[in-house]
Every structure is written in structure tokens, then in C-alpha cells.
């Protein structure tokens, strides 16, 4: 599964907003510059984030966006879902009994991929915006990319 640009950029922008707001609105142009994201794309994303209740806009001079909730209460999954980014690992429609095969049957590995999607959602639901801002995501994912074995695992000889 690959998270699309929409979901990744929304999370990046929200982390930037949480890190730079300090109680004052943050201009999207500033976020766009710091994160190297198109301003027009950010405007689209923030429209969805506002509709999702995650940010509020402040108009006028010195205006911009503020978080609607404290970072500890905003889950990464909330951000991704607010921008209409499904957390899905199968080709089938979520919740549908019909599968992805032409005969509407499920593929042999459907349950495997569906459970992976569930686990990703659970993980993203367990991580808050504050966790990311405060760098409390100290995973060992780099361990699985050929550098070392995870703790408790035996490295291949």
C-alpha cells in the first residue's frame, strides 16, 4: 500500500501548522514554502481539513489557519481521512462483500491485505499530531531495510 501525496502532504502541513502556530494563525504561503508544497494544492487540502473540523481559518491581515483542537487530540488517521484519503490495501470497495475478481469473488489473499489495512488504520489512530511534532515516533522501521535485525530477531547469516 502506498499513501498518496494528498495524505502525506496533509500530515506534513498539519505538523508544520502545529509546530509554528504558537496561538497565532499561520499563513498557508509560509507552510507551502517551508514544506515545498504548492500553495494551490495546500488551499484544496485545507478546505477539506476545515470541513473536517481539524483547522479553522482566520481572515484579514495576519490571518491564516489555526488548529481546531490541541495536537494531543488530533490523530494522524483523522487528518488522512479528512482529505478523503482512504486507508485501503485491497482493490475491493471497503465493506463490500464483493471481491475484486471479474466474478465478484475475493482473491486468495484478500483477508491478509484487508487486515494489513486495519492494522495501518489502528497504528495511525494511535499516533497524535503531538507525537509527531515532539518526535515521539522513534520506530525501528529502518531496521527492516537491510541495516539490522529488529530487536529480538536473528539476523540472516
Amino acid at each position: 500500500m502506498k499513501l498518496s501525496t494528498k495524505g502525506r502532504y496533509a500530515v506534513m502541513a498539519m505538523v508544520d501548522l502545529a509546530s509554528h502556530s504558537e496561538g497565532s494563525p499561520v499563513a498557508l504561503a509560509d507552510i507551502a514554502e517551508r514544506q515545498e508544497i504548492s500553495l494551490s494544492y495546500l488551499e484544496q487540502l485545507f478546505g477539506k481539513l476545515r470541513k473536517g473540523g481539524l483547522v479553522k481559518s482566520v481572515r484579514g491581515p495576519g490571518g491564516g489557519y489555526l488548529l481546531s483542537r490541541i495536537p494531543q487530540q488530533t490523530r494522524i488517521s483523522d487528518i488522512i481521512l479528512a482529505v478523503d484519503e482512504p486507508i485501503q490495501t485491497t482493490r475491493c470497495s471497503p465493506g463490500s462483500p464483493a471481491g475484486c475478481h471479474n466474478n465478484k469473488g475475493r482473491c486468495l489473499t484478500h483477508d491478509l491485505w484487508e487486515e494489513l489495512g486495519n492494522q495501518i488504520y489502528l497504528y495511525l489512530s494511535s499516533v497524535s499530531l503531538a507525537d509527531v511534532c515532539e518526535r515521539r515516533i522513534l520506530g525501528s522501521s529502518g531496521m527492516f531495510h537491510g541495516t539490522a535485525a529488529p530487536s529480538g530477531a536473528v539476523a540472516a547469516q
Side-chain angles (χ1 to χ4, degrees):
M1 186 203 108
K2 184 175 180 181
L3 187 61
S4 79
T5 305
K6 191 188 319 183
R8 286 185 297 116
Y9 282 6
V11 173
M12 287 169 53
M14 288 288 285
V15 170
D16 186 287
L17 177 60
S19 300
H20 290 93
S21 102
E22 299 173 0
S24 301
V26 176
L28 284 187
D30 294 340
I31 296 173
E33 184 177 329
R34 283 191 294 267
Q35 300 306 317
E36 300 178 1
I37 302 171
S38 156
L39 179 57
S40 61
Y41 196 66
L42 270 184
E43 288 169 345
Q44 293 173 32
L45 291 177
F46 271 73
K48 292 181 178 195
L49 292 167
R50 189 176 49 75
K51 286 179 186 172
L54 297 178
V55 297
K56 51 190 170 187
S57 61
V58 177
R59 294 179 178 254
Y65 282 88
L66 292 166
L67 295 174
S68 295
R69 311 186 281 221
I70 61 173
Q72 293 84 347
Q73 293 177 341
T74 301
R75 301 283 156 205
I76 300 304
S77 59
D78 297 338
I79 298 167
I80 293 170
L81 294 173
V83 296
D84 301 325
E85 180 69 24
I87 300 171
Q88 184 178 350
T89 52
T90 64
R91 294 186 303 177
C92 308
S93 298
S96 170
C100 56
H101 284 188
N102 290 337
N103 67 0
K104 302 295 182 204
R106 290 181 168 192
C107 65
L108 294 174
T109 56
H110 175 88
D111 293 337
L112 171 69
W113 303 126
E114 188 169 54
E115 183 57 26
L116 174 62
N118 292 339
Q119 293 300 318
I120 291 169
Y121 176 77
L122 289 172
Y123 173 69
L124 294 175
S125 295
S126 75
V127 177
S128 72
L129 196 53
D131 292 332
V132 178
C133 291
E134 296 168 17
R135 300 186 187 268
R136 289 192 296 244
I137 308 300
L138 301 173
S140 58
S141 61
M143 302 285 208
F144 294 105
H145 297 290
T147 55
S151 65
V154 178
Q157 303 286 328

